[in-house]
Structures are given as C-alpha cells and as structure tokens.
Amino acid sequence: MKKKLLVPLVVLINILFTNLALAQNQIKYKAFSQNDFDKNAVLKETYNLWNNNRTNWFSESKDSAKTSYFVDTRKYKGIVNYGVTFKSKTFRGFQFLEHLSMCFLKIEITKCNFNPKDSIAEIEGFVSGNNDWGSNVFMRTKKIKDYVEVFLGEKKDTIRVCYLGNTVNKDSVGVKLRNKEADEFTVLDQFTAFYFKNYQYYKTNLAEKQPFKIKGKVSKNTLLAFGSGASYAEIFDLGSMIYDPNKNRGKKIIQRENYDCKPLITANKLVADIEKEKSQKQEINYYTYTKSAENYILTRQFGKAKEEYNLLAQKYPTLFARDIHNAIRCAILSRDFKTAFWWGEKLALKGVELPYFNAKIFNGIRKNPEWKNFSTKYDSICKNAQSKWNVNLKNELTNLLNEDQADYGLENRKSPKVLYQTTERVTGKLIDLIKKEGYPSEERIGSLVIKDTVLISFPDFNVLIIHALQQKPDNLPALNELLDKSSNALEYDAKRQVNIMGGGSCFCIYKGNLYSLKSCGRNELELKKIIFKFNNPKGFIMENGNFVVEAHDSKNPKEVDDYYKQRYNLIMKLTDDWEFYEK
C-alpha cells in the first residue's frame, strides 16, 4: 500500500518543481502607461533642439560637430536687444524685425515594456508637432522639411554659443554690435545645454501624429527626449519611472493650454517683458484714461467711456483733439447734451471751426435749444484761438513738407540715395525750427480738419518725422530728444504714433478677410480693435490694433491663397470692398 502511494506523490512533486522552474525562467515584463510618463515629464518649456546644422533658430552652423544639442534658451533676448544695429548701405528704408515662437510637441505612449533581466525598455507611440514655424520666419521662403529626433540614453551637460548668424544681406545692410563691425560668427550669448552619449536614436517627420519606436537599456539616469528645431523638447525621466516609482507618484499632471505655439518675441520685444509691464502696477497717466475709454467704446459702453474722458479732463488741462473728438461722441451717445456742449467748447480751443458739427452724429444737438448760444460762443472761442497761432511756425512747416514731397512724391520719386539726403537735410531744418519756435502742437498751429467735419489725428507734417524714423539719418538722435520732451509735455502724441514698421503683427488682412497666424495666441482685445475699424459709423478715432494689409497678388492668386491656408486661421470677413481698401 505504501509503495502504491509513493509513486503518485513523487510524480506530483516533480510536476510542481517543474512548473516553479519554468515560472522562474519566464520573463516578467513591467508595463508603463501614458500616465506614468506624464508624471515623470521634466524640464517643461526649457530646452529646444539645435541639431547638427544650426547654431540657433535661423542661422546655419559652421561647426564641424555632428551632434544634436538640447539648449536652454530661456534667457535669449532677441538680436536687437543684445545691442546689434542695422543700417542700409543702399539708402533704402530698412527695419529689422524679429519674431520668435516656440511650438509644442505632443507625445502619446501606446506601449512601454521593461525587462528587468536585461534592463531593456521597448517604447512605442506617436509624436505630433506644428511644422509651420509661424512668425519665426523672417521672409517667405521655400518650406524646409523638419524632423523630430528621439534619444534614449544618459545626458552630458555642456555649453552652446549663440551666434548672430546670417540674418541680413551684408552687401546691402551694415551690421554692428555695440558700434563694432559684426558678422555671422559674432557671439551674442551662451546657454547651458546637454547632449546624449551612447544612446539609442529614432528620427521621424515633424507633422501630425507620426509613429515612433525605440528600444534600449535603461539605467537610473536614463532620459527619453524628443526634440525639434522650433519646438520645446519633451523629456521624460525613465530612470525614476522604472527604478524609483515613488519619486513622482504624487506629482500633479498639469494640462497645457490649448495652443500649438507660444510667441516669445514680437517685433524685437520680449513677450514676457510686455506681459510683465501689463501685470505691474503702472503709474496712472494721460493714456491710462484714454485707453480705458477706448476699451469701453469697443464694447459700446459709451456712458462709462464718457466718465473716463471726464476724469481725463479733470487731471489734464490740455488734451489732444482726438480725445475731445471721442468724448463729444460718447456724451451724445449717452444723451448727455450738456456735457457734449462742454466738450465742444474745448474743441474750439484747437481752432476747429463750427462746420465740424455738420456731421450726422450732431443732428440732435443742432436741434437742441442751447445750440444757438453754443454756436455763437464757440465761434468766438475758435477765432480767439486762431489769432494766437504761430503763423511763422505753420508756414515753415509747410515749406519743409513741400521740400520733402518734391522728392518723395509718387509721380517724381527720387532714388533711395537722394531720399536719404533729402530726409537728412529736412530733419536738420526741422530740429532747428523746433528749437526756435517750439514743437508744432495743436495749440501752436491748430488741428487738422478736412472736408469740414473730418478731424485728422496726425497732421500732414507728421510725415517728416516718419521719414526720419525710417531713414535713420545721423541727426535722428537730436530729433528724438526733442520729440521725447514734447511727448512728456503732451504736445507730441508719441504713444499713439503710427506703426512705421509695417509688420510685427499676428493679424493680417487679405482680400477683405481677417487672418491670424497659427503660431499666435488669440488676443481678443486686439481682435475687437481691428473689427471695430471696419464697423465704426460714429467716426471714433481709435487705436485700431496692429495688423498688416496684404495687397492682392493677381499674378499668383492660388499660391498666395494656399500660403494663407497653411499659415493662418481665418477669423472673419471684414469687408467686401477690399479692392478699394487696398488702393
């Protein structure tokens, strides 16, 4: 009996030990999810990739090294802000504008298995990215195919130099850094960086949802990094995820805002500085009130806008005519005719004659019983203001404008060299005139009104200042010094000077349609300003936002239309009369 039981028992034990041995030999993979990767994501919005043929975003490298570097460019200032200056050698107008946006990569993990026996991880998934550089591009050029590079390994810290690069054609534009000649190898800055050594590598196109697959040994210091030329890197701490899972277990995953790209520099100015200025408590000044009033006008809150203009008048005895012009309209649209008459008398001090009130918006107050007394008093104030004008200053400005237009006129426009010489000569005379007679303010020479009822916010002679700013003659610093003093005295409206750059905007108008660059965020206030310009029946004089009007190119309509589809988002139709608008 005992022998019969012994045989089955031995067989059972053999089976049990055989199964245990097989279980020990079977590989036990560890699997990781998207959530694990998100918790171990590091260095957000810090690094971007400078691959082996670039020294920055826009300059080809002469470096013999073939390594790709992840570079921390957060302290990059922008070329002009390092002290680089540009001057045309051909006497043609030249403005250097730098716009820089960094886009974001999106990493989706579909599989990650780790084998503890040999420390090998197999990772698969998809990478998405914006392959339209948006406002990084200085000029329209043929689109260059870009890639996403994937690295699995341990990083090595280093330093990378940022050179000026080939940003302009040096045959036509002179370049200096702090008054010394500069070239493409001029050093602007240096940044901390890292690269990978003894790594696994994968490369895919930068586009919408491209697959990737990478496999390699993972140590406690291993990173998985994704990088592309104009995108923030996505970097994951695989070492901690696998060997120290408790390190980031409680980390909160913060979802990024829904945008493809983040603007960093706009028209040479750091966006961070712009935002910082907005957030800091600023000293209340003249433009604090006008900006607030115009924002109320944008939302048709005319009563609140009227109150802002009333506060402005209490603080400042002398106002610009454009603000008086708006204040009268706000009072009328608030049905406060008493205040409208009061503002009207202030406009008389600018020498604006009574026919100004023939505009349709004044129909109501012209029927008001107070109109007769107002009109008589207004005419007296206006004539008194005109009698105090500096006639010599006014005549000399007319002579300078004629001298300027004799060469700048479209029918007989002179060569760039002659235009530069003309502007330098006229600017010198303007400087002497302002020193002698004072700045030609509205109190000294009056406000400009055309067709009786249309107030022009900037007088004709303003073109002399614009030409000086464009041509940059040697005597420009002397003019700027005088303009700064006049601006502080609220004689020259420098804060609302027209944009002579002709660029630096996220918005563009083409064929009457309003577009925004895909790389820009949606600025609702700027959007309202632009839209208001095309729907402003009451004739307000407003800051209309920063936008560029693109002339319709009838020779290559499809090419231009395709360009807008690729780089811009259509916001809305502004006007059907776009052919007239572009003339």
Side-chain angles (χ1 to χ4, degrees):
M1 184 68 180
K2 291 181 179 180
K3 289 183 179 180
K4 290 182 179 180
L5 290 173
L6 183 61
V7 173
L9 182 61
V10 171
V11 172
L12 182 62
I13 292 171
N14 285 337
I15 293 172
L16 180 62
F17 276 99
T18 300
N19 288 338
L20 287 172
L22 289 173
Q24 287 177 352
N25 291 330
Q26 187 176 359
I27 298 173
K28 291 185 178 179
Y29 287 99
K30 290 184 179 180
F32 297 91
S33 67
Q34 178 77 55
N35 189 65
D36 295 318
F37 277 80
D38 289 341
K39 284 185 178 296
N40 288 278
V42 295
L43 308 172
K44 290 285 189 179
E45 298 185 24
T46 300
Y47 289 90
N48 69 286
L49 192 71
W50 288 4
N51 56 27
N52 56 19
N53 65 347
R54 291 193 175 274
T55 55
N56 52 29
W57 301 270
F58 37 76
S59 177
E60 292 186 1
S61 172
K62 303 299 182 183
D63 195 338
S64 59
K66 299 300 181 183
T67 306
S68 293
Y69 294 87
F70 288 84
V71 188
D72 181 0
T73 56
R74 286 176 295 175
K75 67 173 185 176
Y76 176 71
K77 300 175 183 177
I79 292 174
V80 169
N81 299 316
Y82 283 107
V84 178
T85 56
F86 301 89
K87 188 169 184 179
S88 173
K89 295 179 180 179
T90 61
F91 301 100
R92 294 182 180 276
F94 178 82
Q95 297 287 343
F96 182 86
L97 287 175
E98 182 179 0
H99 312 283
L100 178 64
S101 295
M102 288 295 294
C103 301
F104 293 87
L105 298 176
K106 180 181 179 182
I107 311 302
E108 300 174 67
I109 303 298
T110 57
K111 172 186 174 182
C112 177
N113 290 332
F114 174 73
N115 183 354
K117 187 173 182 180
D118 57 11
S119 300
I120 297 293
E122 297 182 40
I123 307 168
E124 296 180 18
F126 296 94
V127 55
S128 305
N130 188 334
N131 65 340
D132 185 341
W133 280 24
S135 56
N136 291 51
V137 180
F138 290 107
M139 299 173 291
R140 291 186 191 175
T141 56
K142 186 177 179 180
K143 194 170 182 177
I144 300 173
K145 195 170 185 178
D146 209 347
Y147 301 92
V148 178
E149 298 182 48
V150 188
F151 300 83
L152 177 66
E154 296 184 11
K155 72 181 181 74
K156 302 291 182 182
D157 293 329
T158 187
I159 298 292
R160 291 301 288 169
V161 173
C162 177
Y163 298 101
L164 174 60
N166 297 308
T167 52
V168 295
N169 184 346
K170 289 194 66 180
D171 293 334
S172 59
V173 180
V175 185
K176 290 186 177 182
L177 174 62
R178 292 185 283 274
N179 296 320
K180 293 183 179 180
E181 294 296 326
D183 59 25
E184 61 267 33
F185 299 113
T186 297
V187 175
L188 295 182
D189 210 335
Q190 62 179 21
F191 308 124
T192 57
F194 69 85
Y195 65 98
F196 285 92
K197 203 168 185 179
N198 300 324
Y199 57 88
Q200 298 301 314
Y201 178 79
Y202 189 89
K203 184 177 180 180
T204 187
N205 293 330
L206 177 63
E208 181 64 26
K209 206 163 185 176
Q210 296 294 301
F212 75 88
K213 182 186 293 186
I214 197 164
K215 176 181 178 181
K217 187 179 289 290
V218 178
S219 71
K220 293 182 179 180
N221 297 316
T222 296
L223 298 179
L224 173 67
F226 298 78
S228 187
S231 302
Y232 283 118
E234 284 288 341
I235 304 172
F236 301 94
D237 184 357
L238 291 195
S240 294
M241 185 178 78
I242 293 172
Y243 295 105
D244 189 6
N246 292 322
K247 180 179 179 181
N248 295 311
R249 177 167 290 175
K251 181 179 177 182
K252 184 178 180 181
I253 299 173
I254 301 175
Q255 297 296 330
R256 191 178 70 241
E257 292 182 34
N258 186 27
Y259 50 75
D260 292 328
C261 301
K262 178 181 180 180
L264 300 180
I265 297 177
T266 299
N268 301 328
K269 193 166 185 178
L270 290 169
V271 173
D273 288 346
I274 297 173
E275 296 301 322
K276 187 177 179 181
E277 289 173 6
K278 290 179 181 178
S279 64
Q280 289 177 341
K281 187 177 180 180
Q282 298 291 317
E283 179 185 355
I284 296 176
N285 58 31
Y286 185 96
Y287 296 99
T288 305
Y289 297 102
T290 60
K291 184 176 181 179
S292 178
E294 289 184 15
N295 287 344
Y296 281 130
I297 292 171
L298 286 173
T299 55
R300 271 65 175 182
Q301 298 182 73
F302 302 116
K304 290 184 177 180
K306 180 192 72 172
E307 294 304 320
E308 291 297 318
Y309 284 122
N310 289 345
L311 288 173
L312 177 69
Q314 292 174 22
K315 299 289 184 179
Y316 298 91
T318 302
L319 309 175
F320 289 113
R322 63 180 285 173
D323 299 313
I324 301 173
H325 168 97
N326 284 350
I328 298 174
R329 282 161 167 73
C330 289
I332 289 173
L333 293 171
S334 303
R335 303 194 63 79
D336 185 354
F337 288 174
K338 181 179 179 180
T339 301
F341 284 129
W342 180 81
W343 276 109
E345 292 181 11
K346 287 189 171 296
L347 197 59
L349 295 170
K350 304 288 186 177
V352 176
E353 296 182 345
L354 195 60
Y356 167 85
F357 291 92
N358 290 337
K360 185 177 180 180
I361 193 172
F362 299 118
N363 286 348
I365 64 170
R366 288 201 306 272
K367 296 175 183 178
N368 189 280
E370 292 296 321
W371 172 256
K372 185 174 181 180
N373 290 333
F374 167 77
S375 59
T376 302
K377 185 177 181 182
Y378 185 96
D379 197 51
S380 175
I381 296 172
C382 179
K383 285 183 170 54
N384 183 54
Q386 291 177 348
S387 69
K388 297 177 181 178
W389 285 352
N390 187 328
V391 178
N392 180 60
L393 176 59
K394 195 176 179 69
N395 291 338
E396 288 296 321
L397 282 172
T398 300
N399 292 337
L400 289 180
L401 187 60
N402 291 337
E403 185 176 348
D404 174 272
Q405 291 301 298
D407 291 338
Y408 273 95
L410 294 178
E411 295 182 358
N412 56 347
R413 196 177 186 87
K414 299 297 191 298
S415 68
K417 184 176 182 179
V418 171
L419 293 180
Y420 177 87
Q421 293 170 341
T422 298
T423 294
E424 188 168 45
R425 182 178 66 252
V426 170
T427 300
K429 293 180 180 179
L430 179 61
I431 291 169
D432 292 339
L433 182 62
I434 294 175
K435 285 180 178 179
K436 179 181 177 182
E437 305 286 358
Y439 181 82
S441 64
E442 294 170 341
E443 279 64 43
R444 287 194 177 97
I445 65 169
S447 299
L448 178 61
V449 177
I450 61 173
K451 298 180 181 178
D452 292 336
T453 62
V454 181
L455 178 73
I456 305 300
S457 56
F458 288 102
D460 288 343
F461 73 82
N462 200 58
V463 74
L464 305 179
I465 298 172
I466 292 175
H467 286 164
L469 295 174
Q470 290 173 336
Q471 296 284 2
K472 292 184 172 59
D474 291 338
N475 49 13
L476 178 59
L479 176 62
N480 281 334
E481 185 178 350
L482 292 173
L483 294 179
D484 286 343
K485 292 179 180 178
S486 300
S487 175
N488 293 334
L490 293 178
E491 296 176 330
Y492 170 55
D493 197 358
K495 298 290 184 182
R496 296 179 289 198
Q497 171 67 277
V498 293
N499 176 19
I500 66 166
M501 298 289 193
S505 175
C506 290
F507 296 102
C508 190
I509 299 173
Y510 173 62
K511 288 186 177 180
N513 295 323
L514 176 61
Y515 295 88
S516 67
L517 272 170
K518 290 182 178 179
S519 60
C520 291
R522 188 178 175 95
N523 187 324
E524 294 296 338
L525 182 57
E526 286 293 306
L527 197 56
K528 286 179 181 178
K529 289 179 181 179
I530 297 169
I531 295 171
F532 190 84
K533 176 178 175 61
F534 293 85
N535 185 22
N536 180 15
K538 305 303 181 183
F540 285 101
I541 299 175
M542 305 279 287
E543 180 190 347
N544 291 312
N546 188 8
F547 60 90
V548 176
V549 178
E550 179 89 34
H552 174 49
D553 187 352
S554 58
K555 295 180 181 178
N556 301 294
K558 187 178 184 305
E559 181 182 337
V560 180
D561 288 345
D562 290 344
Y563 169 80
Y564 272 87
K565 288 178 182 178
Q566 291 170 4
R567 292 188 61 197
Y568 287 84
N569 291 318
L570 174 64
I571 302 297
M572 66 179 296
K573 166 73 74 174
L574 287 175
T575 176
D576 292 318
D577 194 19
W578 55 267
E579 290 183 333
F580 171 79
Y581 180 72
E582 290 176 3
K583 289 179 181 178

